[in-house]
Amino acid sequence: MPLPLIPPTSPVLHLELNGGAAPADARRAAHDFLGRPARGAPAFPPVALDTALLVISELVTNAVRHTSGGCVLDLRLTADGVDVAVTDTSSAEPRPRQPGQQGEGGWGWHLVNRLGTRVEIRHRRGRDGKTIHVRVPR
């Protein structure tokens, strides 16, 4: 009798996050998701994986730091990369700041825009909040 086929891993990750551990939780889940093949696709190359983890970490950190609620991380594998979407409870758009040289921040939004492509801010209709979408190429 043949062994049953193991269903392929899903090309989508959906994760609700909250609190100070949210960025680390997001990185860990994204590393597990992107680091293994899904539906026959190869795992992310190491440099692309590191880039995706940095973008995800920056977006989740900003959502937790600058909004009143948690956030939702959605990852969707594409043929040429991964679509990253972080939804939070604030309608305020991120604004670039002058990066600090003494560890006081200001680098995140610059990094997201430099490392990702197709950066978009989508406001939620009829309710507070927004989704920031970024494509990270493979």
Side-chain angles (χ1 to χ4, degrees), residues 83-99:
D83 285 334
V84 177
V86 175
T87 302
D88 64 40
T89 58
S90 172
S91 296
E93 294 192 9
R95 293 177 298 150
R97 316 188 276 144
Q98 181 67 36

Side-chain angles (χ1 to χ4, degrees), residues 30-45:
H31 183 272
D32 291 346
F33 177 74
L34 296 172
R36 66 177 189 268
R39 295 198 179 187
F44 256 54

Side-chain angles (χ1 to χ4, degrees), residues 13-135:
L13 173 72
H14 176 83
L15 190 61
E16 294 184 19
L17 300 158
N18 204 347
D25 293 342
R27 281 191 305 275
R28 194 169 19 264
H31 183 272
D32 291 346
F33 177 74
L34 296 172
R36 66 177 189 268
R39 295 198 179 187
F44 256 54
V47 171
L49 178 60
D50 288 345
T51 300
L53 294 176
L54 180 56
V55 167
I56 291 163
S57 183
E58 290 297 334
L59 290 174
V60 171
T61 297
N62 286 345
V64 171
R65 182 178 291 161
H66 299 295
T67 68
S68 61
C71 66
V72 174
L73 169 66
D74 288 296
L75 302 180
R76 179 176 302 278
L77 290 176
T78 67
D80 62 341
V82 61
D83 285 334
V84 177
V86 175
T87 302
D88 64 40
T89 58
S90 172
S91 296
E93 294 192 9
R95 293 177 298 150
R97 316 188 276 144
Q98 181 67 36
Q101 303 299 315
Q102 305 299 320
E104 61 271 15
W107 295 95
W109 191 236
H110 295 287
L111 285 169
V112 167
N113 282 279
R114 178 81 173 159
L115 298 173
T117 62
R118 299 183 189 176
V119 178
E120 298 176 17
I121 301 168
R122 302 173 184 163
H123 291 275
R124 298 168 64 185
R125 279 182 204 239
R127 41 201 256 218
D128 287 338
K130 66 185 169 304
T131 299
I132 298 178
H133 174 270
V134 181
R135 165 79 48 89

